Amino acid sequence: MILHFRRYAAALLLALCAATVAAQGAQGGCEGRDAGLVAEAADTARSDTMALQREPAWPLGLQGRLARLVGSELFERSQVGLMVYDLTADSALFCHNERQTLRPASTMKVITAIAAIDCLGGSYQLRTQLRYSGHVEDGTLRGDVYLVGGFDPRFNADDMAAFVEGIRRMGVDTLRGRIVADKTMKDADRLGEGWCWDDDNPVLSPLLVSRRDAFAARFVQRLRAEGVVVEADTVEGRAPGDAYDVCTRTHTLDQVLMPMMKESDNLCAEALFYQLGASTGAHPATARHARSVVRRLIDKVGLRPADYRIADGSGLSLYNYVSAELEVAMLRYAYSNTNIYMHLLPSLPVAAEDGTLRGRMRGTFAAGNVRAKTGSVAAVSSLAGYCTAANGHVLCFAIINQGLRRGSEGRAFQDRVCNELCRP
């Protein structure tokens, strides 16, 4: 608002000066081209002044409406952290408790997604490998088969069929040796820090098929269904560096990002979180390694990592504590980096159209406009993302409601805020 005021004052001063010069020119008998230039300058200055007089009306009106919303009686019994940033004007539009640390719920996935794209790159692929050692003689593989997990949450029955086909193409009809499940990409923790024991939590195994930790058993089952005799013990271990490659199945970062953001898939979020941990060179990767990458990004966007608590990548943990200011800083960073924004924006749910926002903001100015990640855990509701204001400015925002008895109250408040951001 200081910037708007200074521009307004400068234009007003210019208009007054131009008007004075025009009056003096008229009194002194200015004629022809000089008088016309003075008059034209005065008209231009007046036009600029009128435009700038109108310009502050939009942010002032919006700020007033948002102030009334945060003054609701809802916040006599609950908390809210709210920040709106005008990306086009590069200025904060509205702040309310924006530095208060609150539990983000699934808007934590915004931070994880931006960190993953920034660190790993948009072309990153999650891999699961089939390898072997030993030799094949008369259709019998005498040696070990290695199932090497890379924590790919999208590995499915079609991928498993490709593994089995890889064995068949080797001319193998009998396996004699061991089937080794290599889960060493990450630590043995199967749940995240601070997860509630009675939630429907995903299993954090780096070797999954159709989201289940039953890879080796499913592999043996499919081999036998294809007529391969399996005379092998199933064990856990690590594939040696000189093992031969049979088949590698991959999924792109975007293929993981889409369900993670659109449908708030917790397993996909944790998979990317552990990819961050692995990117440090750690083997096995841990949540601590992943947190170190996120903390570096927090420092990169200009905030202090020590002010926040990062526990997991999905937002399931009750130990996560971030602020609306941090989430907005991340969204600003993504917007300023095309390589991040081009992957992030299409993954966000669209109000009234798809993902976790498909049933929200229908019939409002926000419908089809707001693209944002939702969040919901006990007593917490949140929303963070982007929209375009009526004046064409691109905005980003973060809203974290905490201490709610009913999540619907938080969602209704967030929807009203979004409608105000988008309305003419």
Side-chain angles (χ1 to χ4, degrees):
M1 288 309 302
I2 292 173
L3 177 61
H4 286 300
F5 176 77
R6 287 175 177 169
R7 290 173 60 197
Y8 169 70
L12 182 59
L13 180 60
L14 177 60
L16 290 172
C17 291
T20 301
V21 171
Q24 291 172 345
Q27 292 171 359
C30 288
E31 297 178 355
R33 186 174 62 86
D34 290 341
L37 288 174
V38 171
E40 182 179 348
D43 288 342
T44 301
R46 279 192 295 270
S47 297
D48 289 345
T49 303
M50 292 176 65
L52 287 167
Q53 283 176 320
R54 291 192 301 268
E55 187 178 353
W58 171 73
L60 286 174
L62 173 60
Q63 290 159 358
R65 296 193 299 271
L66 294 180
R68 285 192 290 274
L69 285 176
V70 298
S72 163
E73 65 176 15
L74 172 64
F75 304 113
E76 295 175 4
R77 60 182 187 278
S78 66
Q79 301 165 273
V80 64
L82 169 61
M83 185 171 184
V84 181
Y85 198 90
D86 187 331
L87 294 162
T88 303
D90 193 20
S91 61
L93 276 177
F94 189 82
C95 299
H96 180 79
N97 294 337
E98 75 280 6
R99 293 182 177 174
Q100 194 168 98
T101 51
L102 304 166
R103 285 186 284 148
S106 280
T107 55
M108 184 69 207
K109 293 181 176 72
V110 170
I111 297 173
T112 302
I114 293 170
I117 304 167
D118 183 56
C119 175
L120 305 173
S123 61
Y124 184 80
Q125 294 183 326
L126 291 79
R127 301 174 181 274
T128 308
Q129 297 175 295
L130 175 64
R131 309 179 73 190
Y132 80 98
S133 60
H135 62 279
V136 179
E137 182 179 346
D138 297 329
T140 298
L141 171 57
R142 300 180 185 277
D144 296 334
V145 173
Y146 302 96
L147 308 170
V148 185
F151 208 158
D152 179 359
R154 301 300 303 271
F155 191 99
N156 58 28
D158 291 339
D159 299 304
M160 184 64 79
F163 269 26
V164 173
E165 179 62 20
I167 294 292
R168 296 288 292 166
R169 287 182 177 177
M170 292 170 59
V172 172
D173 56 32
T174 303
L175 290 181
R176 289 192 179 136
R178 299 183 305 164
I179 295 175
V180 182
D182 185 342
K183 301 181 179 181
T184 60
M185 175 264 188
K186 69 171 291 293
D187 59 21
D189 292 345
R190 293 168 65 84
L191 296 175
E193 181 184 5
W195 288 9
C196 292
W197 64 268
D198 56 348
D199 278 351
D200 184 18
N201 298 313
V203 177
L204 304 183
S205 170
L207 193 55
L208 298 168
V209 54
S210 300
R211 305 174 62 88
R212 300 189 62 185
D213 186 22
F215 201 104
R218 189 76 60 85
F219 179 63
V220 170
Q221 182 183 36
R222 289 295 298 266
L223 284 171
R224 287 174 173 159
E226 293 297 320
V228 177
V229 176
V230 180
E231 298 175 353
D233 295 327
T234 300
V235 299
E236 290 192 13
R238 185 170 181 174
D242 60 354
Y244 301 105
D245 293 329
V246 179
C247 181
T248 298
R249 299 292 286 185
T250 65
H251 287 94
T252 66
L253 184 144
D254 284 335
Q255 287 176 304
V256 176
L257 201 60
M258 290 298 282
M260 167 182 163
M261 303 300 276
K262 290 285 188 186
E263 303 300 335
S264 202
D265 190 296
N266 294 317
L267 179 61
C268 288
E270 296 302 328
L272 287 190
F273 192 60
Y274 276 91
Q275 306 301 317
L276 290 176
S279 73
T280 66
H283 197 99
T286 68
R288 179 174 58 84
H289 296 122
R291 290 177 199 128
S292 70
V293 179
V294 177
R295 283 196 291 266
R296 284 199 298 270
L297 181 57
I298 293 173
D299 182 68
K300 189 175 181 179
V301 301
L303 297 176
R304 294 197 317 164
D307 291 342
Y308 311 100
R309 176 74 187 275
I310 307 299
D312 66 9
S314 63
L316 279 174
S317 177
L318 300 181
Y319 299 163
N320 289 309
Y321 276 92
V322 305
S323 66
E325 181 184 47
L326 173 60
E327 292 188 338
V328 162
M330 290 290 182
L331 292 165
R332 288 175 58 197
Y333 178 73
Y335 182 78
S336 68
N337 289 267
T338 303
N339 290 334
I340 300 176
Y341 192 64
M342 67 184 292
H343 292 279
L344 178 68
L345 189 66
S347 73
L348 292 169
V350 182
E353 291 187 7
D354 66 16
T356 54
L357 284 180
R358 66 173 61 87
R360 291 176 59 177
M361 305 182 214
R362 290 179 177 175
T364 71
F365 295 110
N369 185 338
V370 167
R371 291 175 176 263
K373 181 70 198 74
T374 59
S376 179
V377 295
V380 178
S381 181
S382 53
L383 189 69
Y386 302 96
C387 66
T388 301
N391 66 350
H393 286 208
V394 179
L395 313 178
C396 68
F397 62 89
I399 313 166
I400 306 176
N401 291 95
Q402 184 169 287
L404 299 169
R405 289 189 59 203
R406 292 182 294 275
S408 59
E409 291 180 315
R411 292 190 293 273
F413 170 77
Q414 295 151 20
D415 292 355
R416 286 194 291 270
V417 169
C418 288
N419 189 52
E420 296 298 344
L421 298 181
C422 301
R423 64 175 282 188

